[in-house]
Amino acid sequence: MKFGKEFASQMVPEWQAAYVDYSSLKKFLKEIHGVKQKYRQPDTPTRLQRALTLYRSFSGLDPRRNKGGSSFDDHDVENQAILVNSVRGNGSGKYETTFLMVAEEGAEYEQEFFKKLDNELNKVDKFYRSKVKEVMAEAETLTNQMHALIAFRIKVDKLQENFDVSGSNDKIMVPMNALQGTTESDNDAKQSSNGCLEIQEENPKKVVSSIRLAPQEVLNHVKLNQAIQAPFSAAKVYCASNTNKTQMNFSKDNLKKIQNQLKQAFIEFYYKLRLLKNYSFLNVLAFSKIMKKYDKITSRRASKYYMRTVDDSYIGNSDEVTKLMERVEATFIKHFSNSNRSKGMNQLRPKSKKERHSTSFGTGFFAGCTAALILALVLIIHARNILDKEGRVQYMESMFPVYSLFGFMVLHMLMHAGNIYFWRRYRVNYSFIFGFKQGTELGFREVLFLSFGLATLALISVVSNLDMEMDPKTGDYKALTELLPLSLLLLVIIVLLCPFNILYRSSRFFLLRTSFRCICAPLYKVKFQDFYLADQFTSEVQAFRSVEYYICHYGWGDFKLRQNTCKSNDIFNTFYFIVAVVPYWSRLLQCVRRFHDEKDPMQGYNGLKYFLTIVALCTRTAYGLDRGTSWKAVAWTFSAMAALYGTYWDLVVDWGLLQRRSKNRWLRDKLLIPYKSVYFGAMVLNVLLRFAWLQTVLDLSLSLHRETLIAIVASLEIIRRGIWNFFRLENEHLNNVGKFRAFKSVPLPFYNDEDEDRID
C-alpha cells in the first residue's frame, strides 16, 4: 500500500483537517518535477550560489548551525538549499523556511512548496500543542478523582469494620499525583515536603506517598454524582433536596459504581493519549516522506536540514504524552487490575477486531439459503395454484401479518448493514458517534449474517405453513405448523436476552440498554444513540402492531381455526392506537428532556414535529377503522402538515442540506460522497417516501390485498429510514470534524462545588 493511502487510513477521522495535507504537497512536487524535466538543470551550484553562501557565512547567518548552535555537516555546504528559522510570536514558535536557490529556473515553485510545508508544520505543531494542553488538564482532573476514590474506599472499609471514622484522629494518605504511579509506603512515619509529619494508618496497604488529609476532609471538598446514587437521573434532578445533594451513601455498591466509572474514564483517557501519540508519529513520518520525495526530484539534500527542524519542534520533541501514558498505565494496573499488568494492558489496549472467516462463510451460506427458499416458495405457490384457492383470503387476513413482522426486521437489518458498509467506505466514525466500546461494534458482515440467518428461519416457517385447507378429521389446521411463527419469535427474544457470551452479547446488551433508556424517557439524559434508536422505532410502527397481533392471535386461540377476530375487539383496537403512538411519544419526551437540559429552542420545534405526527397517525388509524368523510378530512390535514414539517426537518436540520449559499449549491459545504447527484436523488426519494401514507386516505383501487398494501407502505418507510440514517450520521460526523471532537465524554463520579456543570 502506498504511504498516502496508508496515511489517510490511519487518520483520526474527526482530526482529518489537522493532519499534514500530504496529497496537496505531492501536487506541488509534481509541478516541481515537471519544471525540472522542462529545464533539465545541472545539479552543480552556480557562482552566484557560492557567493551567497560565503556572504551568509561571513555575516553570521551560518547555515551549518541550527537554533541551538549545534553544528550541521561540515561538507557540501554549498549545496544547502534551505534555511529554516524559528520565529517567536504570541508565545509560540512559528517556522519559516528561506529557499536559497532563488537564481535557478522554476525556483518560485520550490518557494511555494516550502511555504506550504511551513504552513503545514505550524498547523500540526499548534494543534498538537493545544491537545497536549487539554490532556494535561484532564490528567489533573483524574488525579483529583483518584484522591476522592481512595478516600471513599477507606471510608467504606472503616464503616465495614464498625469504626467511628468521624471521631477518629487517624490520618489517611491520598495520592498527591495519582497518575504518577503509587507505591506502598513503609510503616515508619515520614517527613513531608512542607515539614509536617505524615501519620500513617493502621493498614499499611492503604498508605501511599501523598499529602496529609483525613478521609472526611477529602470528601468534604467533593460531591458524588447523583447518577451514582440514583438510577433515574431525572428523579434526583427534580425531586432531591439540598440535603440529599450533599450526602454520600458509603456503600459497597456505590464504591463499585465509582470504580467502574473511573475505570472507564481512564480507558477513554488512555485511548486519547494513544491517538495523540499516533498523530505525532504519522505527521512526522509524513514530513519525512515528502522531503525524501523532494530530494529525489530535485537531487538536493534538503530533507536532513528540514527534518532537524521537525525533530526539534514541539510535535517532534515533546515527550509529555509518552510520560503520561506510562503514568496512566501504572495507576490503572495498580488500582483497577489488582497489579496484574497483563490484565490491565489488555483493558487499556483492547485488541482490534479481526474479520472471521466463519462469519463470511455463514453470511454466504444463509444468503444462499434465503435465495433458494424464496425460489422454492415461488415454485410451490405456482405448482399448487395457491393464489386461486379459497383459503388464500383467510391466509392473508390471519397469517400474513404474523410473518410480515420478520420481513420488517430483516429489511431493517439489511438497511443497517448497507449503512455500515458505506459509513466505513466514506470514513464516518459511527462507532464513536454511537458510543460503542472499542472493538465491540458490529461490521456489515455480522449484521448480514444475523439478517440472512433470521430470513432463512422465517422462510422455512413460511414454506412449512402453506397449507390452505383444514384437516377434515380434526376440523382445524395443524397446530405444529401454526405455532412455528410464535416459536421463532420466542427464539429471537431468548437470543436477545441470553446472558451468555454468544452471538455478539455486547451489541445485544447495548441494544437492550438503549431501548430501556428510550422507554424511560425523559428520566435519563438523552444521548445520540438514544434518539437515533427511538427514530428507528418510529419507522417500525407496523412491526409493533404485528407483535400486538401475535398476542391476540395466539392468546385468544385464533391460530387453531386460522381466524382474525382481533380487529372486531375494542381492546385490540384501543391498543392499536397506543402501540402506534408509543414510539413517537417516547421521541417527543426525549425532545422535552433535551430542551430542559440544553435550553435549545430547536428541540422544542422538533418536539412539535413529533406531536403533529402523533395526531396524524391517530387520525389515519381512526379513518382506517371507521372510513367516514369527517375522519378523512382530518387525516388529510394533519398528515399533510406532519409530512411537510418532517420533510423540511429531514433535509435542512438532520441532513444539513438545502444551503443556498454553500460551496455546493443547495447542498452543504462539505460532502463525503463525491457525486452530488446522490444527494439530490436522496432528497427526492425522501420526499416521495414521506408521502407514501397517501394510499391510506386516497382509497386507491389497487388489485392488492389490504394487508399487502400495509406491508408495502411499512417497508417503504423502513427504506426511507435507512437512507435517512446514512445522511444523518454523515452530518453528525461532519459536525464532529468541524469541532475536532473525536472522544466521548465519560461522566466522572465526583465533582466540586465550583464545577457542578459536570453532573451527568
Side-chain angles (χ1 to χ4, degrees):
M1 181 184 293
K2 293 184 178 180
F3 176 75
K5 292 183 178 179
E6 185 178 358
F7 180 64
S9 66
Q10 294 187 27
M11 288 181 180
V12 179
E14 289 76 10
W15 291 355
Q16 189 171 357
Y19 282 82
V20 176
D21 193 352
Y22 188 79
S23 59
S24 177
L25 291 172
K26 283 185 66 176
K27 290 180 181 178
F28 275 100
L29 290 182
K30 288 182 180 179
E31 294 178 356
I32 295 173
H33 181 67
V35 172
K36 292 295 181 183
Q37 290 294 322
K38 180 179 179 181
Y39 292 103
R40 297 183 180 275
Q41 295 179 346
D43 297 334
T44 56
T46 62
R47 292 181 179 179
L48 178 59
Q49 293 166 8
R50 292 192 181 97
L52 287 172
T53 301
L54 290 173
Y55 170 75
R56 295 189 186 95
S57 178
F58 284 111
S59 61
L61 299 176
D62 190 352
R64 292 173 297 177
R65 296 189 174 272
N66 60 9
K67 173 186 168 187
S70 59
S71 177
F72 286 176
D73 293 341
D74 293 332
H75 63 281
D76 206 13
V77 177
E78 297 84 1
N79 288 333
Q80 182 179 337
I82 60 172
L83 179 64
V84 186
N85 295 317
S86 177
V87 180
R88 291 288 173 181
N90 297 326
S92 61
K94 183 179 180 182
Y95 300 97
E96 294 181 357
T97 301
T98 303
F99 183 67
L100 304 179
M101 305 297 187
V102 293
E104 294 185 0
E105 295 291 344
E108 62 274 10
Y109 291 96
E110 297 185 59
Q111 286 179 321
E112 288 297 320
F113 168 76
F114 281 106
K115 183 178 179 180
K116 174 68 174 177
L117 196 64
D118 290 339
N119 290 337
E120 294 300 312
L121 177 57
N122 293 326
K123 177 185 72 175
V124 299
D125 191 71
K126 180 181 178 181
F127 180 81
Y128 184 74
R129 191 186 298 270
S130 65
K131 289 300 177 182
V132 171
K133 185 177 179 181
E134 290 179 9
V135 297
M136 295 302 290
E138 189 171 348
E140 182 64 25
T141 301
L142 288 178
T143 299
N144 295 332
Q145 293 287 317
M146 287 300 299
H147 291 173
L149 169 63
I150 294 176
F152 192 93
R153 182 187 297 164
I154 293 171
K155 190 73 173 285
V156 171
D157 291 342
K158 285 290 185 181
L159 290 177
Q160 292 294 325
E161 296 171 3
N162 296 322
F163 281 108
D164 186 9
V165 181
S166 60
S168 176
N169 293 323
D170 291 339
K171 297 297 182 180
I172 306 302
M173 311 301 178
V174 296
M176 180 61 114
N177 192 342
L179 295 184
Q180 290 180 350
T182 57
T183 58
E184 295 181 3
S185 64
D186 299 330
N187 292 333
D188 299 330
K190 296 181 179 179
Q191 184 75 18
S192 64
S193 58
N194 58 5
C196 296
L197 282 175
E198 298 177 344
I199 304 174
Q200 70 180 57
E201 188 192 325
E202 290 181 1
N203 186 359
K205 293 184 179 181
K206 299 285 184 180
V207 183
V208 291
S209 52
S210 52
I211 60 175
R212 178 176 178 266
L213 285 176
Q216 190 60 47
E217 186 177 351
V218 174
L219 297 175
N220 283 342
H221 291 83
V222 297
K223 295 180 181 179
L224 189 61
N225 194 327
Q226 300 300 335
I228 297 290
Q229 304 195 77
F232 299 103
S233 57
K236 279 291 179 182
V237 172
Y238 295 115
C239 303
S241 62
N242 292 331
T243 303
N244 289 334
K245 287 182 180 179
T246 58
Q247 291 179 345
M248 290 189 186
N249 183 9
F250 296 97
S251 64
K252 287 286 187 180
D253 291 338
N254 277 353
L255 177 60
K256 185 177 180 180
K257 292 178 182 178
I258 292 170
Q259 288 176 332
N260 290 336
Q261 209 167 25
L262 263 181
K263 180 179 179 180
Q264 188 60 38
F266 268 87
I267 292 174
E268 188 66 23
F269 180 63
Y270 189 79
Y271 176 66
K272 184 184 298 186
L273 295 176
R274 288 175 60 196
L275 291 187
L276 265 178
K277 187 175 181 179
N278 187 61
Y279 173 86
S280 172
F281 171 77
L282 283 178
N283 282 289
V284 172
L285 184 60
F287 281 115
S288 175
K289 292 287 186 181
I290 205 69
M291 286 306 300
K292 286 181 180 179
K293 289 181 179 293
Y294 172 81
D295 284 354
K296 184 177 180 180
I297 291 172
T298 61
S299 300
R300 308 189 195 281
R301 292 198 297 172
S303 62
K304 62 179 180 180
Y305 299 103
Y306 201 87
M307 287 310 299
R308 282 171 180 166
T309 301
V310 173
D311 292 338
D312 291 337
S313 65
Y314 189 82
I315 191 173
N317 192 35
S318 173
D319 60 349
E320 283 93 341
V321 173
T322 302
K323 290 181 178 179
L324 201 53
M325 290 179 69
E326 295 174 354
R327 291 157 58 186
V328 170
E329 290 172 4
T331 302
F332 188 88
I333 291 169
K334 181 175 180 61
H335 292 282
F336 299 107
S337 60
N338 295 324
S339 298
N340 187 332
R341 180 172 181 80
S342 177
K343 178 182 176 182
M345 294 307 298
N346 286 336
Q347 292 176 326
L348 287 175
R349 295 176 178 262
K351 296 180 180 179
S352 58
K353 192 174 182 180
K354 296 181 180 180
E355 298 291 344
R356 295 184 178 180
H357 297 295
S358 58
T359 302
S360 300
F361 174 79
T363 302
F365 175 76
F366 285 124
C369 291
T370 301
L373 287 169
I374 291 175
L375 179 61
L377 182 62
V378 173
L379 294 177
I380 291 173
I381 292 175
H382 179 73
R384 295 184 183 178
N385 199 20
I386 291 178
L387 295 179
D388 295 331
K389 290 188 176 181
E390 296 180 357
R392 65 182 179 85
V393 176
Q394 189 178 8
Y395 184 91
M396 291 300 297
E397 289 287 343
S398 60
M399 297 305 298
F400 189 81
V402 170
Y403 288 113
S404 62
L405 170 64
F406 301 107
F408 300 145
M409 295 169 63
V410 171
L411 179 59
H412 211 139
M413 293 169 70
L414 290 175
M415 295 300 297
H416 185 61
N419 284 329
I420 292 176
Y421 173 80
F422 286 107
W423 286 334
R424 286 190 174 183
R425 180 175 179 179
Y426 294 106
R427 294 184 57 77
V428 175
N429 196 356
Y430 70 95
S431 59
F432 164 69
I433 295 174
F434 288 136
F436 291 136
K437 188 179 179 180
Q438 298 177 42
T440 62
E441 69 277 5
L442 293 182
F444 69 94
R445 290 184 180 86
E446 288 84 359
V447 179
L448 286 177
F449 171 76
L450 294 175
S451 59
F452 284 128
L454 179 60
T456 299
L457 295 177
L459 286 170
I460 291 174
S461 178
V462 172
V463 172
S464 303
N465 198 17
L466 276 178
D467 52 316
M468 295 294 160
E469 298 176 355
M470 292 183 179
D471 189 341
K473 295 181 179 180
T474 60
D476 57 9
Y477 291 88
K478 296 179 180 179
L480 179 62
T481 56
E482 294 297 311
L483 290 173
L484 282 177
L486 179 62
S487 302
L488 182 55
L489 179 60
L490 292 177
L491 176 63
V492 171
I493 296 174
I494 291 172
V495 170
L496 186 62
L497 300 176
C498 179
F500 302 110
N501 191 15
I502 57 173
L503 286 178
Y504 317 114
R505 181 179 64 177
S506 60
S507 297
R508 290 189 285 108
F509 283 11
F510 180 86
L511 176 62
L512 292 174
R513 286 193 302 268
T514 309
S515 301
F516 180 76
R517 292 171 68 95
C518 293
I519 295 172
C520 294
L523 298 179
Y524 286 99
K525 185 176 181 179
V526 182
K527 301 179 181 179
F528 182 90
Q529 59 267 28
D530 298 332
F531 66 78
Y532 177 88
L533 183 61
D535 279 327
Q536 308 309 304
F537 288 158
T538 60
S539 295
E540 289 284 2
V541 168
Q542 198 56 42
F544 291 125
R545 284 174 168 173
S546 297
V547 174
E548 180 195 4
Y549 179 75
Y550 264 87
I551 298 173
C552 172
H553 184 69
Y554 288 100
W556 294 346
D558 287 352
F559 71 96
K560 295 179 180 179
L561 301 176
R562 194 174 284 181
Q563 296 176 346
N564 186 356
T565 61
C566 297
K567 293 185 178 179
S568 61
N569 187 282
D570 293 336
I571 298 177
F572 179 86
N573 291 333
T574 301
F575 278 94
Y576 202 69
F577 281 88
I578 296 174
V579 168
V581 167
V582 166
Y584 293 98
W585 181 251
S586 174
R587 191 67 186 87
L588 173 61
L589 293 179
Q590 287 180 340
C591 293
V592 172
R593 177 61 191 264
R594 292 190 68 188
F595 178 77
H596 173 269
D597 293 341
E598 302 172 12
K599 304 298 186 293
D600 183 6
M602 291 297 291
Q603 298 303 324
Y605 301 141
N606 197 17
L608 179 61
K609 179 189 72 173
Y610 290 105
F611 176 77
L612 287 175
T613 306
I614 291 174
V615 177
L617 184 63
C618 290
T619 54
R620 289 204 304 268
T621 304
Y623 175 69
L625 296 175
D626 182 16
R627 295 182 176 272
T629 306
S630 58
W631 278 120
K632 184 175 183 178
V634 175
W636 253 106
T637 302
F638 283 99
S639 295
M641 292 173 60
L644 292 173
Y645 199 163
T647 300
Y648 171 82
W649 199 271
D650 286 345
L651 303 182
V652 178
V653 180
D654 290 337
W655 293 2
L657 302 177
L658 293 179
Q659 297 180 11
R660 184 176 180 182
R661 297 182 179 180
S662 66
K663 297 177 182 178
N664 305 296
R665 191 170 178 81
W666 296 114
L667 298 177
R668 59 171 115 84
D669 291 339
K670 294 182 179 180
L671 303 174
L672 294 183
I673 302 177
Y675 308 105
K676 297 181 183 179
S677 58
V678 173
Y679 293 91
F680 289 108
M683 287 192 289
V684 173
L685 196 58
N686 184 78
V687 173
L688 294 177
L689 296 178
R690 267 282 184 184
F691 286 87
W693 54 267
L694 285 172
Q695 63 85 25
T696 60
V697 291
L698 287 178
D699 298 329
L700 299 176
S701 56
L702 301 175
S703 58
L704 294 173
H705 194 275
R706 183 171 179 271
E707 293 295 336
T708 304
L709 281 176
I710 292 175
I712 291 175
V713 173
S715 299
L716 291 177
E717 170 59 21
I718 293 173
I719 294 173
R720 186 198 70 81
R721 180 60 64 184
I723 298 172
W724 179 91
N725 290 342
F726 174 82
F727 294 101
R728 178 65 183 89
L729 251 74
E730 180 200 25
N731 190 37
E732 184 70 16
H733 172 75
L734 291 175
N735 291 334
N736 291 339
V737 169
K739 300 176 182 177
F740 298 106
R741 187 168 52 204
F743 311 105
K744 59 183 178 182
S745 176
V746 179
L748 299 175
F750 301 100
Y751 65 97
N752 298 322
D753 295 336
E754 60 271 12
D755 55 4
E756 292 191 5
D757 56 330
R758 288 183 181 174
I759 300 177
D760 185 19

